[in-house]
Amino acid sequence: MEPALNAPDPMVTALCQGMQRTSVPFALLVGGASHPYMQNPAFNALLVAAHASTGGAARLWEDTAVQAELATCRAIESECRLVRPELGYALLFVPLRSPGGTPLVQCFAREIGPADAASDGLSPYLFLTALNVSHCFVCLFSRSGEIFWLNDAVKRHLYGHTQVQQFHVDDWIHLVHPDDVLLLNSHFSHGMARNEIAPVEYRMRDSDGSYRWLLSVSTAVYGVDGSISYWISISFDISGLKQRELAMQERERHAGQDVQRKIEQLLRVQGELATTQKMELVGNLAGGVAHDLNNLLTVISLSISLLRKATADEAVLRYAHTIEKAVEKAGRMATQLMTFTGRKPRTATLLDPRQLLTDISDLLHKAVGDEGEFVLQCAQDICTVQVDRAYFENSLINLVVNARDATNGRGRIVMKLANTVSERDGMPRRYLQMTVSDDGVGMSEDVRARVFEPFFTTKATGKGSGLGLPMVASFVEQAGGFIDVHSTPDAGTTVALLLPAANAVLPPATPRSTCAGAPEGLENVLLVEDDTQVRDALADMLHNLGYRVSTAYNPQAALHYLGAGLKVDLIISDVRMPGPVSVLDMLHVLERGGNAPPLLFITGYAGEVLVQEGLIEGRYPTLFKPFSQDELCEAIRLALNGAQLVR
């Protein structure tokens, strides 16, 4: 059905022109008419095909069901649907009121298949309703540029309300910022001539008189003949972003560095993202390697303890002692792996720095090397500090290694420890000051400013990870201290650490008691461990100490044994094991039973895994691998006595 020449309303004219050649089957009913004012060729073609066997295409609008849905749509002013599965099509009635006040009903039709027969979804034809409730600004305009439809968001923006009876092109033009009128006009004119309108930013006056920045994206809608039926434009309010952008541009314009600052900002964001990804990768790798290494070291350590008890041969015992020392060093390496990425639990303890330097003196000298000179100067009255020992050791080693590299392994490195008083935090306070100085190549001010950035290094590829100094800075910050770096090119570098004094005295050292084990047959232990070598080594050790030992390869098996009547005085369990039942699940089952035996956790992972697995660190005694026979005995005694242990 062709539209009349004189349309009663501008929107009717625009809809007819826009939908006449579209491939979407469409009809438009004006006012209270029972027959359409316009019915496009696509609508006619669908009806003729659907009613080919009945010849009822021309009688569609006499159908009582069609008229009932049409009347309902007008009465409730909401969309209604009519599905005709027997004819293979469905109708969607959508009410619309033109700016001139004329009530309209749009009728969309579409073919449906068997799978669609039970569905009431006509989503391809809900675009006007969906666009109308959108918070974006949406308008439809003809090929000549005449706007014939605005959604409610635009009406609220332009007029302050949605009950707009009539709108004109002049409204739109007069509301565009005067400085943007020429830009907008030429932009849309050029784009419509090329059948492709690029996105454009401009300012539009709001109903309250203020201006908003909008970003408009326009797309052509084509008819069945391949020509453009109309255009749809969607605009986004970018005022907040634009204000920040303009403010930044203004500041950079005065500084004369607009382009450079944007590039630096982008590079910084990219660098931070890359650093985060690297840190996560390194952390995961370090945690996994440390876990596997700790498991192997536990097997070696326990096997050496068993070997000591099984032989009196002095030569064998000397070899065993050598292996024990190697295990200690390897354990230190595993600790350092976790320390580099912050995955080792930070356990602050009271330390005597002089004793710590004595313990790691060999490591410091070896770090410097035979060709370099290492001087250690430590005052007599050094104060104690409350810090994590492993992080402190690793920080000292890192500083010495950096100094060695700065001198190419042939210079002079001086480490000094002394007490000092500083007002860094606003009040006088005692600190332990530790400085590491070298006579190496030194650093420029630009390099010195970046030394604490993760992965930043001036060393050759493969010579440095860029993690050493960031780890040191993290340790000092966690300890409540400060770190300074002073350097001059070709004149050396001095790094100073200030750690808060603990104001406490270490108690006299007491020798560790030797584990005597348990009287045979007195206590039953259930060992839950998935690693076969660790499980076997621990079981042998516990047997050798006099305990009666049962083993399970995962928590599910442990619960089966306990449910079958196995009585135990203590459960020793790894923290993370494969299987459908987690250690936390096992713990919940035991606690619900009301008479759970004491439990001792052992793990080769860092302390954070306890939290990840829901096992709050400190709630149950925990022993970190690798450990010795004496440490195992002490942990078992504490667990049986209800004490807490985290080593």
Side-chain angles (χ1 to χ4, degrees):
M1 180 180 297
E2 292 293 330
L5 294 177
N6 297 317
D9 189 282
M11 177 171 277
V12 173
T13 301
L15 283 172
C16 291
Q17 292 176 349
M19 300 302 291
Q20 182 67 22
R21 289 184 295 276
T22 182
S23 60
V24 177
F26 175 83
L28 180 66
L29 296 98
V30 180
S34 60
H35 285 69
Y37 176 80
M38 187 275 283
Q39 189 170 296
N40 71 1
F43 195 98
N44 293 332
L46 186 149
L47 290 183
V48 170
H51 291 271
S53 60
T54 65
R59 297 189 299 275
L60 171 68
W61 300 104
E62 279 75 34
D63 190 303
T64 56
V66 172
Q67 288 299 316
E69 289 299 324
L70 178 60
T72 301
C73 175
R74 286 169 171 155
I76 66 176
E77 294 188 354
S78 181
E79 62 186 47
C80 295
R81 300 172 176 81
L82 179 63
V83 181
R84 288 289 180 81
E86 74 280 3
L87 295 173
Y89 67 86
L91 303 176
L92 172 67
F93 299 94
V94 180
L96 180 67
R97 186 171 294 274
S98 76
T102 304
L104 311 173
V105 174
Q106 303 170 93
C107 180
F108 298 94
R110 76 171 178 110
E111 293 182 279
I112 60 173
D116 299 317
S119 171
D120 62 352
L122 289 172
S123 56
Y125 310 111
L126 299 180
F127 69 99
L128 284 182
T129 301
L131 293 177
N132 200 43
V133 299
S134 171
H135 292 294
C136 299
F137 302 153
V138 185
C139 68
L140 307 182
F141 56 94
S142 66
R143 290 178 297 171
S144 61
E146 181 182 4
I147 298 173
F148 62 84
W149 186 83
L150 302 173
N151 75 342
D152 285 349
V154 178
K155 294 174 185 176
R156 284 191 294 269
H157 171 56
L158 298 182
Y159 305 105
H161 56 85
T162 60
Q163 306 304 316
V164 180
Q165 298 301 317
Q166 189 171 8
F167 60 88
H168 302 283
V169 174
D170 289 347
D171 294 343
W172 189 272
I173 295 175
H174 291 155
L175 294 174
V176 176
H177 193 284
D179 294 343
D180 297 339
V181 172
L182 179 60
L183 165 70
L184 199 62
N185 183 279
S186 61
H187 182 87
F188 274 91
S189 298
H190 180 66
M192 293 172 67
R194 296 171 56 247
N195 292 341
E196 182 179 355
I197 302 176
V200 61
E201 297 178 4
Y202 59 96
R203 286 161 290 182
M204 180 75 68
R205 190 170 73 240
D206 207 340
S207 58
D208 62 3
S210 63
Y211 281 94
R212 294 193 193 185
W213 274 99
L214 301 179
L215 170 64
S216 290
V217 180
S218 302
T219 304
V221 179
Y222 290 86
V224 292
D225 61 353
S227 63
I228 295 177
S229 297
Y230 60 94
W231 293 83
I232 177 170
S233 177
I234 303 178
S235 300
F236 306 91
D237 186 348
I238 60 170
S239 301
L241 294 174
K242 198 66 178 179
Q243 288 171 2
R244 288 193 293 271
E245 177 187 342
L246 292 176
M248 181 182 294
Q249 288 177 350
E250 183 67 15
R251 290 193 300 269
E252 293 173 349
R253 183 179 66 82
H254 288 300
Q257 299 175 349
D258 179 48
V259 175
Q260 184 62 32
R261 288 188 182 182
K262 288 183 178 180
I263 293 175
E264 290 175 355
Q265 183 183 23
L266 176 60
L267 293 176
R268 183 169 59 254
V269 171
Q270 291 175 337
E272 290 172 355
L273 176 60
T275 297
T276 300
Q277 293 172 336
K278 286 181 181 179
M279 290 297 292
E280 183 66 22
L281 178 62
V282 171
N284 291 335
L285 177 61
V289 171
H291 169 263
D292 293 342
L293 180 58
N294 283 331
N295 272 342
L296 293 174
L297 294 177
T298 298
V299 175
I300 297 172
S301 179
L302 296 179
S303 298
I304 289 298
S305 297
L306 292 174
L307 180 62
R308 281 184 172 279
K309 297 188 68 173
T311 183
D313 189 309
E314 290 296 330
V316 173
L317 292 176
R318 285 198 305 273
Y319 298 148
H321 179 73
T322 301
I323 297 174
E324 283 179 332
K325 290 300 181 182
V327 169
E328 290 179 6
K329 291 182 180 180
R332 190 186 303 276
M333 292 174 57
T335 298
Q336 290 175 356
L337 275 176
M338 293 184 287
T339 302
F340 267 120
T341 56
R343 298 205 169 205
K344 180 192 175 294
R346 295 181 185 264
T347 306
T349 57
L350 190 63
L351 294 178
D352 177 2
R354 293 178 62 88
Q355 183 60 49
L356 180 106
L357 288 176
T358 300
D359 295 341
I360 65 170
S361 176
D362 288 345
L363 285 175
L364 295 175
H365 281 85
K366 289 178 181 178
V368 173
D370 295 334
E371 297 183 348
E373 179 186 0
F374 179 63
V375 179
L376 181 59
Q377 300 175 355
C378 186
Q380 292 296 324
D381 59 342
I382 289 297
C383 60
T384 57
V385 290
Q386 189 85 16
V387 295
D388 184 285
R389 180 186 176 97
Y391 279 88
F392 194 11
E393 290 179 3
N394 203 53
S395 295
L396 298 180
I397 295 171
N398 267 300
L399 293 179
V400 170
V401 168
N402 278 350
R404 178 204 65 195
D405 292 342
T407 61
N408 201 24
R410 295 181 175 86
R412 189 171 190 266
I413 300 170
V414 179
M415 178 182 288
K416 296 180 181 179
L417 272 75
N419 296 333
T420 188
V421 176
S422 174
E423 297 184 12
R424 291 289 190 97
D425 55 359
M427 58 183 297
R429 187 174 179 181
R430 293 179 66 235
Y431 288 89
L432 167 69
Q433 178 171 299
M434 189 207 72
T435 60
V436 176
S437 303
D438 66 68
D439 57 359
V441 295
M443 294 179 284
S444 66
E445 184 59 27
D446 291 341
V447 172
R448 190 201 64 77
R450 299 186 60 192
V451 293
F452 298 123
E453 292 183 15
F455 300 104
F456 173 76
T457 180
T458 58
K459 300 176 184 178
T461 303
K463 297 295 184 180
S465 65
L467 291 173
L469 285 178
M471 187 281 298
V472 175
S474 174
F475 157 70
V476 173
E477 180 182 0
Q478 291 288 333
F482 306 94
I483 182 169
D484 293 323
V485 178
H486 302 281
S487 186
T488 303
D490 301 321
T493 299
T494 297
V495 181
L497 308 185
L498 274 72
L499 301 176
N503 298 322
V505 179
L506 279 170
T510 56
R512 183 185 296 272
S513 59
T514 302
C515 179
E520 186 172 355
L522 180 62
E523 289 160 330
N524 298 320
V525 176
L526 173 59
L527 175 61
V528 188
E529 169 64 63
D530 64 302
D531 188 290
T532 303
Q533 287 185 316
V534 175
R535 186 172 66 245
D536 291 346
L538 268 173
D540 286 344
M541 174 60 68
L542 292 170
H543 278 301
N544 199 274
L545 291 173
Y547 295 98
R548 298 180 62 184
V549 184
S550 302
T551 63
Y553 58 89
N554 63 19
Q556 185 179 36
L559 289 176
H560 284 321
Y561 288 135
L562 294 170
L566 177 65
K567 303 297 182 183
V568 297
D569 301 296
L570 174 68
I571 297 176
I572 300 177
S573 175
D574 197 353
V575 170
R576 180 177 283 178
M577 289 173 280
V581 178
S582 69
V583 173
L584 183 61
D585 296 332
M586 178 183 73
L587 191 57
H588 287 164
V589 172
L590 295 175
E591 290 176 343
R592 285 198 299 268
N595 58 346
L599 193 146
L600 169 64
F601 287 129
I602 57 172
T603 180
Y605 286 107
E608 66 177 16
V609 173
L610 296 174
V611 178
Q612 292 173 359
E613 297 297 324
L615 308 167
I616 304 303
E617 188 175 346
R619 182 180 175 188
Y620 289 94
T622 304
L623 192 60
F624 290 94
K625 302 171 184 175
F627 48 80
S628 66
Q629 172 183 291
D630 289 344
E631 290 171 335
L632 176 62
C633 289
E634 180 185 359
I636 291 175
R637 287 295 106 200
L638 289 172
L640 290 172
N641 293 332
Q644 299 298 314
L645 168 78
V646 176
R647 172 168 293 140

